[in-house]
């Protein structure tokens, strides 16, 4: 983890290569909880849920290829970025009471102050979600 301290604010950033398989989201939640310990614990539950949804989507979309997650805490604002090499983009879908999946981005949309998707010219995308200070 790389961290720097300014005179009036604190910045910390960490990046992880996610394990492949169904345990990636659980591992990402654990790393997020550890990263936020003592810093932004009031938002840890929301952050863990956002991380879990983004990593689960990326792991499913990438089908075993590389997925990276980075966390950045700057002036009380947490930015979660998840990158995968899959071409498809996540979409906010209408809610359904009968669907077994498809609610992840809706949860991210509800919990994050803002979120975005950035396509990369070499392939893949990065999904970012920003959670503001408590």
């Amino acid at each position: 983890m790389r961290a720097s301290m300014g005179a009036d604010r604190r910045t910390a950033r960490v990046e992880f290569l996610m394990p492949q398989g169904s345990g990636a989201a659980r591992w990402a939640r654990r790393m997020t909880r550890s990263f936020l310990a003592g810093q932004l614990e009031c938002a840890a539950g929301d952050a863990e849920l956002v991380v879990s949804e983004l990593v689960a989507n990326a792991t499913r979309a990438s089908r075993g290829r590389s997925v990276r997650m980075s966390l950045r805490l700057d002036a009380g604002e947490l930015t979660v970025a998840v990158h995968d090499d899959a071409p498809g983009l996540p979409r906010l879908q209408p809610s359904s009471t009968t669907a077994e999946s498809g609610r992840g981005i809706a949860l991210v949309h509800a919990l994050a102050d803002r979120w975005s998707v950035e396509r990369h010219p070499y392939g893949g995308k990065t999904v970012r979600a920003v959670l503001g200070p408590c």
Side-chain angles (χ1 to χ4, degrees), residues 5-62:
M5 305 259 282
D8 59 327
R9 66 186 223 203
R10 184 174 177 183
T11 301
R13 183 178 187 281
V14 66
E15 185 170 358
F16 302 100
L17 180 61
M18 295 288 102
Q20 296 179 1
S22 61
R26 181 176 58 245
W27 192 84
R29 284 191 304 273
R30 195 172 315 139
M31 295 300 102
T32 301
R33 190 175 321 119
S34 294
F35 179 74
L36 293 176
Q39 298 182 65
L40 192 64
E41 292 180 11
C42 59
D46 288 352
E48 287 179 46
L49 186 52
V50 167
V51 160
S52 182
E53 294 299 334
L54 293 181
V55 168
N57 287 349
T59 302
R60 190 172 29 257
S62 68

Side-chain angles (χ1 to χ4, degrees), residues 33-129:
R33 190 175 321 119
S34 294
F35 179 74
L36 293 176
Q39 298 182 65
L40 192 64
E41 292 180 11
C42 59
D46 288 352
E48 287 179 46
L49 186 52
V50 167
V51 160
S52 182
E53 294 299 334
L54 293 181
V55 168
N57 287 349
T59 302
R60 190 172 29 257
S62 68
R63 298 184 183 157
R65 292 178 288 198
S66 170
V67 173
R68 292 186 313 274
M69 176 184 79
S70 68
L71 303 170
R72 178 184 170 95
L73 186 59
D74 188 8
E77 188 173 76
L78 176 68
T79 302
V80 176
V82 177
H83 174 80
D84 67 66
D85 294 332
L89 299 178
R91 310 181 278 129
L92 186 59
Q93 299 177 1
S95 61
S96 167
T97 57
T98 58
E100 293 184 18
S101 63
R103 294 178 185 87
I105 292 299
L107 285 171
V108 171
H109 181 76
L111 295 174
D113 289 346
R114 59 190 181 277
W115 69 281
S116 63
V117 181
E118 176 188 356
R119 284 186 191 252
H120 294 281
Y122 54 85
K125 66 201 169 282
T126 298
V127 182
R128 279 189 185 76

